[in-house]
Amino acid sequence: MNITRENIDNLNAILKVEVRKSDYEENVEKVLREYRRNANMKGFRPGMVPIGLIRKLYGTAAKVDEINKLVAENLYKYIKDENIQILGDPVPSEKQDESMNFETGEDFNFTFEIGLAPEFELKLGKKNKVTYYEIIIDEKIRNDYVNNYTRRYGRYVNAELSEETDMLKGRIEPADEMARFSADNVLLAIDIIKDEEIKKEFLGKKPGDSIIFDLKKAYPNVNEIATMLRISKDQAAKVEGTYKFTIEEIMRFQPAEIGKELFDQIYGEDVIKTEEEFYAKIDEEISASLANESNYKLSLDLKKLALEKTKFDLPEEFLKKWLKRVNEKATGEQIEKEFDTFKEDLKWQLIRKKIAQDYDIKVTEEEMRKEAENITRYQFNQYGLFYATDEQISKFADEMLKKEDDARRIADRILEEKAIEKLKELVTIETKKVTAEEFNKLFE
């Protein structure tokens, strides 16, 4: 087999692959012998079908498979051995020899288009400035943060008269001949009743009172009705008529009071003892949270600066062909519509790779493992599994790293963080204090 490269320009090239009979003949014969060994054909004992018949039935298909396999393996080996930096994958040329006949032919010539990664230099230095927006902690932010805690650790208490934000517990039953469902221990939220007139009927009521109302008018959402009556969505869709709801209990949500009980629930017993310590801890947590938002904005601006200051071209026509090939269901119009976004992402990937090469940035196995454990711990917490052991975390992280796609995503995430950190060192970072409102407007 012979592979040759023909450069079209700095970003595009052609790879020509010459396949001769001697390259694939032996492998095809091995495959056909295996077919014969396993063949179960009427009129012949197992494994005794004549090789000529096997060749006639399966020879062309076996030849095509082996040639395709041979071409793919050697094509990527050639690219690796020659250290050709390509974008995407080789794409069979549209000018491929259509006269090739795999049934009768012996020697074949294939042509592939490849897109070449551009060569460029990073042109970033201290003359380039990026703003780090430090968000000021104001009373609104502090109060919202505290309210999140008081609500999280709040509880429902019994009330005497119903108000709009209350939850009612009681029995629901038909009030006319069109209604046909009933249920006990029903929870009814007043504030999500859609009809304002019906909502008023539920206000100022006490346990023992009954309200007759149009259930479907109050709750047009079939999911809400299905949950309330404990019936299927199909049944809920057919609900008609008026229903009577008899109040047994009025439940009102009461946020937790700021004090030692709340401090112990949040941080553990006796960790925080006074309100002063509590608000100091709150400010510390808010600062960390706001810093994450500020750092996120900074990373976006650093990437934007790198893209603006690092100019290079891409083999766009080749990339569109490749995208169409790997996304067979996508239309040319869809690819054109999304191409600018794809192009920006690809440019950043190339810049990130260049940063890693120029500054010898690598991702270690230890870093991969630590990141996998962090991701696992976060996922466990999302599902409420706060008490997973280190052994369990480690086991799940190991399984994650065994999956090629997951391992690649983790490596990309680490490399992204390291590239951003290097950009912070290369340019000048200027700090500017802003309010939360001013910060949010930066994303508009």
Side-chain angles (χ1 to χ4, degrees):
M1 176 180 288
N2 185 42
I3 301 178
T4 56
R5 171 180 171 180
E6 179 184 318
N7 289 332
I8 297 174
D9 54 39
N10 291 335
L11 297 173
N12 296 274
I14 296 290
L15 295 182
K16 295 182 177 180
V17 183
E18 298 177 2
V19 180
R20 298 294 173 256
K21 183 179 180 180
S22 58
D23 296 322
Y24 61 82
E25 186 176 29
E26 184 178 345
N27 285 343
V28 172
E29 287 302 311
K30 285 181 182 178
V31 170
L32 293 177
R33 285 196 295 272
E34 187 66 18
Y35 281 177
R36 183 188 185 217
R37 191 171 69 84
N38 296 310
N40 189 0
M41 196 175 294
K42 189 175 180 180
F44 299 97
R45 285 182 295 162
M48 298 303 292
V49 180
I51 191 65
L53 181 56
I54 293 292
R55 188 174 286 109
K56 182 178 180 180
L57 292 173
Y58 305 111
T60 301
K63 183 198 289 188
V64 171
D65 286 347
E66 289 305 312
I67 289 174
N68 284 337
K69 189 188 301 181
L70 191 68
V71 169
E73 289 175 356
N74 283 275
L75 196 60
Y76 283 100
K77 183 177 183 302
Y78 176 84
I79 290 169
K80 182 180 179 180
D81 291 347
E82 295 295 317
N83 195 27
I84 304 173
Q85 301 300 312
I86 67 170
L87 301 177
D89 299 295
V91 173
S93 174
E94 294 175 357
K95 298 177 182 179
Q96 201 80 264
D97 187 354
E98 296 179 359
S99 64
M100 283 192 295
N101 187 322
F102 285 100
E103 189 171 348
T104 60
E106 295 183 342
D107 298 336
F108 305 95
N109 296 316
F110 300 91
T111 305
F112 293 88
E113 299 177 31
I114 57 172
L116 304 176
E119 294 184 2
F120 59 91
E121 295 297 325
L122 290 173
K123 297 183 178 179
L124 292 170
K126 291 299 180 181
K127 65 181 183 298
N128 303 116
K129 298 178 181 180
V130 180
T131 301
Y132 175 83
Y133 297 96
E134 182 183 333
I135 306 170
I136 301 167
I137 301 177
D138 57 26
E139 285 305 308
K140 183 180 183 307
I141 294 176
R142 187 178 288 108
N143 289 338
D144 287 346
Y145 204 89
V146 172
N147 287 340
N148 283 336
Y149 271 136
T150 58
R151 291 193 65 81
R152 187 190 305 177
Y153 293 96
R155 59 192 177 91
Y156 280 95
V157 296
N158 289 334
E160 294 182 1
L161 292 178
S162 60
E163 296 178 1
E164 186 168 345
T165 57
D166 291 341
M167 183 84 71
L168 305 180
K169 182 179 179 181
R171 173 173 172 76
I172 194 167
E173 56 192 322
D176 64 27
E177 59 185 17
M178 295 180 67
R180 59 191 183 90
F181 296 101
S182 61
D184 290 313
N185 297 318
V186 170
L187 292 177
L188 186 151
I190 299 176
D191 61 346
I192 63 172
I193 294 175
K194 299 300 185 288
D195 186 277
E196 291 301 320
E197 292 302 316
I198 294 176
K199 184 183 289 185
K200 289 177 184 177
E201 292 294 316
F202 281 86
L203 301 178
K205 297 295 187 290
K206 61 183 182 300
D209 288 347
S210 296
I211 303 97
I212 295 175
F213 69 109
D214 185 323
L215 179 57
K216 200 156 192 176
K217 194 174 180 182
Y219 297 100
N221 188 316
V222 294
N223 292 319
E224 292 168 356
I225 294 177
T227 300
M228 188 182 300
L229 298 177
R230 295 187 283 279
I231 58 178
S232 70
K233 291 181 184 178
D234 290 339
Q235 289 174 309
K238 298 173 183 176
V239 164
E240 296 182 276
T242 55
Y243 283 79
K244 182 172 79 168
F245 183 83
T246 302
I247 301 172
E248 296 173 354
E249 191 177 345
I250 300 171
M251 297 182 293
R252 182 168 300 159
F253 182 78
Q254 187 178 77
E257 292 184 5
I258 296 175
K260 187 176 186 307
E261 183 179 347
L262 177 62
F263 306 156
D264 289 349
Q265 286 177 310
I266 299 172
Y267 302 109
E269 190 171 355
D270 290 333
V271 174
I272 301 294
K273 298 178 182 178
T274 67
E275 282 195 28
E276 289 75 14
E277 290 178 3
F278 175 65
Y279 281 107
K281 184 68 173 176
I282 289 294
D283 280 0
E284 182 184 321
E285 292 176 6
I286 293 173
S287 295
S289 176
L290 295 181
N292 286 336
E293 295 186 41
S294 297
N295 286 326
Y296 174 69
K297 173 61 177 167
L298 178 61
S299 69
L300 292 180
D301 291 343
L302 286 166
K303 287 165 67 172
K304 182 180 178 182
L305 176 67
L307 286 164
E308 288 174 352
K309 297 298 181 181
T310 311
K311 301 295 184 182
F312 55 84
D313 294 322
L314 294 172
E316 295 190 13
E317 290 307 312
F318 166 82
L319 289 171
K320 289 174 184 177
K321 289 181 187 177
W322 173 69
L323 286 171
K324 184 69 176 74
R325 185 174 175 82
V326 296
N327 299 281
E328 295 179 357
K329 295 182 180 179
T331 64
E333 184 178 347
Q334 288 174 319
I335 288 174
E336 286 290 343
K337 184 179 179 181
E338 298 172 11
F339 188 71
D340 284 345
T341 301
F342 166 80
K343 188 168 63 173
E344 288 297 288
D345 287 342
L346 178 57
K347 282 188 172 183
W348 167 244
Q349 288 177 34
L350 291 171
I351 291 171
R352 189 180 69 184
K353 184 178 179 181
K354 179 69 172 173
I355 294 171
Q357 289 174 342
D358 286 357
Y359 296 94
D360 196 28
I361 296 173
K362 292 182 173 60
V363 177
T364 66
E365 289 185 13
E366 184 180 350
E367 290 169 334
M368 293 274 289
R369 186 168 204 10
K370 184 177 178 181
E371 184 66 18
E373 289 177 351
N374 288 338
I375 293 170
T376 302
R377 191 170 283 106
Y378 176 76
Q379 291 174 342
F380 275 31
N381 289 346
Q382 279 190 312
Y383 288 103
L385 304 174
F386 299 105
Y387 303 106
T389 64
D390 289 343
E391 184 179 352
Q392 289 171 319
I393 295 290
S394 181
K395 181 180 177 181
F396 275 87
D398 285 341
E399 292 302 315
M400 186 183 298
L401 290 172
K402 288 177 184 177
K403 299 174 183 175
E404 187 176 338
D405 287 345
D406 287 346
R408 184 174 60 251
R409 278 193 289 269
I410 289 170
D412 283 346
R413 179 186 292 192
I414 297 170
L415 187 59
E416 178 93 359
E417 292 174 356
K418 289 189 172 188
I420 292 296
E421 288 303 312
K422 177 52 65 174
L423 286 177
K424 289 179 186 178
E425 295 175 15
L426 294 176
V427 305
T428 298
I429 307 294
E430 297 181 334
T431 300
K432 180 179 180 181
K433 292 180 182 264
V434 294
T435 65
E437 184 180 357
E438 290 171 332
F439 182 80
N440 291 333
K441 285 182 178 179
L442 297 172
F443 291 90
E444 294 177 358

